[in-house]
Amino acid sequence: MSFMWPEMLLTLVLVPVAITLYLWLLGRRKKQAVRYSGLGLVREAMGRGPGWRRHVPPALLLLALTLLLIATARPSMRLVLPSQQRMVVLAMDVSISMRATDVEPTRMAAAQAAAREFIEAQPASTRIGLVSFAGSAALVQPPTFSKDDLLAAIDRFTFQRGTAVGSGILISLQTIFPDLDIDMRTVDPLTGLRDSRQGMPLGSEARDAKPAPPPPSEPGSFKSAAIILLTDGQTTTGPDPLAAARLAADRGVRVFTVGVGTDKGEILVGEGWSVRVRLDEDSLRNIAKITGGEYYYAGTAGELKKVYQELGSRLTLERRETEVSGIFAGLGAVLMLVAAGLSLLWFHRVV
């Protein structure tokens, strides 16, 4: 536990002061009782006292005071709380290398099955978008609450040539920020942002110019959306995936990367061609690191399903630092009310 205002903890010196004052009052009461000449008569008249129970209300008040003083220091701690996630974009590789059978029955079939389970497990309040990429990327299902539409879009996947991981990231980012205008033909998307004033008549800038893009955010700071990128191969075309990751990091969007396949890979044979397809884990790790996400490896269909289950819980519940001063203040107030009620009850019984 940490404190946002640790200097306020100095007020806890009031607790031993209150204990000392209470003990002093008890001693003063005993001294006054000694002045009576007939103590036996006094005890007989007063009857059997409440004993230790008379100390319960002061003890509760003391505990309430301690909690309230701690609350003034604004304590915070890491707790597992519901995430503010409102949109998840699944970017899935549909390149020919996904036909490989080192993940049974095929990489594509295993990825589709895991994605279906992930979608079914998401809460109804989360919108999910679907991006497919190979030599280019496309938004095949805009963010929606309809799980049936998402499952139907996954079933329509077809294999294509090439692997453009950077394009998959950029299209996913544009899905989250529709106003983000990127020239996909450039290798580095950071230098390929289009100027919204190009082709505009002179003197029309003030009337039609779009607002300037916001300053870069801290990586991982945008908690309302996230990208899950699944691929099995190396980038062969399109924008630099690390530059695309830096653009996502500037917007605060986390990219969780999932590598599917085996280290050895597999040799795919076609009509007059053959190629070894293997997983580029270093690139996927760097993408996740740049954006504040995480990298997951899935070498089998079962592992891939576990990865999606972990991602689902990660996006629904997250461990973060949060202020808990309200909890201390609320408990202090409750204890104070209980102590007041017990004091009144004890007073009426004595009177």
Side-chain angles (χ1 to χ4, degrees):
M1 182 182 296
S2 58
F3 298 90
M4 302 176 67
W5 294 348
E7 60 274 8
M8 294 302 295
L9 292 175
L10 295 175
T11 58
L12 289 174
V13 299
L14 295 175
V15 176
V17 171
I19 295 175
T20 303
L21 179 61
Y22 179 66
L23 294 176
W24 177 77
L25 290 175
L26 288 178
R28 187 164 176 261
R29 184 180 179 184
K30 290 180 179 179
K31 289 181 180 180
Q32 290 179 346
V34 174
R35 296 178 183 176
Y36 291 96
S37 57
L39 292 178
L41 295 176
V42 174
R43 292 194 185 96
E44 186 177 350
M46 293 180 61
R48 187 176 180 180
W52 61 269
R53 289 176 294 176
R54 63 192 177 102
H55 300 297
V56 173
L60 292 177
L61 284 174
L62 183 64
L63 181 58
L65 175 64
T66 303
L67 293 174
L68 292 175
L69 292 177
I70 293 176
T72 61
R74 299 185 65 181
S76 60
M77 60 190 303
R78 295 189 68 81
L79 297 173
V80 177
L81 299 172
S83 174
Q84 298 301 315
Q85 213 75 33
R86 291 294 179 266
M87 183 190 301
V88 177
V89 179
L90 290 177
M92 300 183 63
D93 190 346
V94 295
S95 59
I96 293 177
S97 59
M98 292 290 285
R99 292 183 351 196
T101 57
D102 54 350
V103 178
E104 296 180 351
T106 64
R107 295 178 182 178
M108 174 65 78
Q112 288 174 309
R116 291 189 192 97
E117 290 191 8
F118 173 82
I119 291 171
E120 293 286 3
Q122 293 309 296
S125 60
T126 300
R127 287 194 302 159
I128 303 175
L130 194 60
V131 170
S132 66
F133 65 91
S136 60
L139 177 63
V140 296
Q141 176 58 59
T144 179
F145 297 110
S146 174
K147 296 181 179 181
D148 292 336
D149 292 344
L150 291 165
L151 298 178
I154 290 177
D155 292 336
R156 291 194 298 266
F157 281 167
T158 57
F159 295 110
Q160 302 174 31
R161 292 183 179 273
T163 303
V165 175
S167 295
I169 296 174
L170 295 178
I171 292 297
S172 300
L173 195 60
Q174 281 190 321
T175 303
I176 299 172
F177 302 104
D179 295 335
L180 185 62
D181 199 6
I182 304 172
D183 189 350
M184 294 292 178
R185 296 168 298 179
T186 59
V187 176
D188 188 350
L190 295 176
T191 60
L193 292 175
R194 295 175 183 168
D195 189 347
S196 60
R197 297 174 297 176
Q198 291 180 357
M200 295 173 59
L202 293 176
S204 62
E205 290 88 349
R207 183 179 67 252
D208 299 326
K210 296 179 181 179
S217 303
E218 182 180 353
S221 59
F222 188 74
K223 301 299 184 181
S224 297
I227 298 171
I228 299 177
L229 177 77
L230 182 142
T231 182
D232 70 336
Q234 300 172 327
T235 295
T236 60
T237 185
D240 179 9
L242 296 184
R246 286 192 289 271
L247 184 58
D250 287 345
R251 294 296 176 121
V253 177
R254 295 171 296 171
V255 180
F256 297 90
T257 56
V258 181
V260 57
T262 58
D263 296 335
K264 296 181 180 179
E266 183 174 315
I267 297 178
L268 293 180
V269 179
E271 297 180 0
W273 58 268
S274 64
V275 62
R276 176 176 290 277
V277 291
R278 61 182 62 186
L279 182 62
D280 184 6
E281 288 192 284
D282 291 338
S283 178
L284 296 180
R285 285 194 182 96
N286 289 332
I287 291 171
K289 182 178 180 180
I290 290 171
T291 61
E294 289 186 20
Y295 167 68
Y296 298 88
Y297 169 73
T300 65
E303 289 177 354
L304 184 56
K305 289 184 179 181
K306 289 181 180 178
V307 166
Y308 270 98
Q309 290 172 358
E310 183 174 345
L311 281 169
S313 61
R314 173 72 183 272
L315 296 174
T316 305
L317 297 173
E318 64 180 2
R319 185 178 296 274
R320 64 177 185 265
E321 193 81 12
T322 185
E323 186 177 347
V324 292
S325 56
I327 297 176
F328 284 86
L331 289 175
V334 170
L335 288 176
M336 194 167 289
L337 291 174
V338 172
L342 291 176
S343 298
L344 289 175
L345 180 62
W346 177 73
F347 176 78
H348 284 295
R349 291 183 62 182
V350 171
V351 175

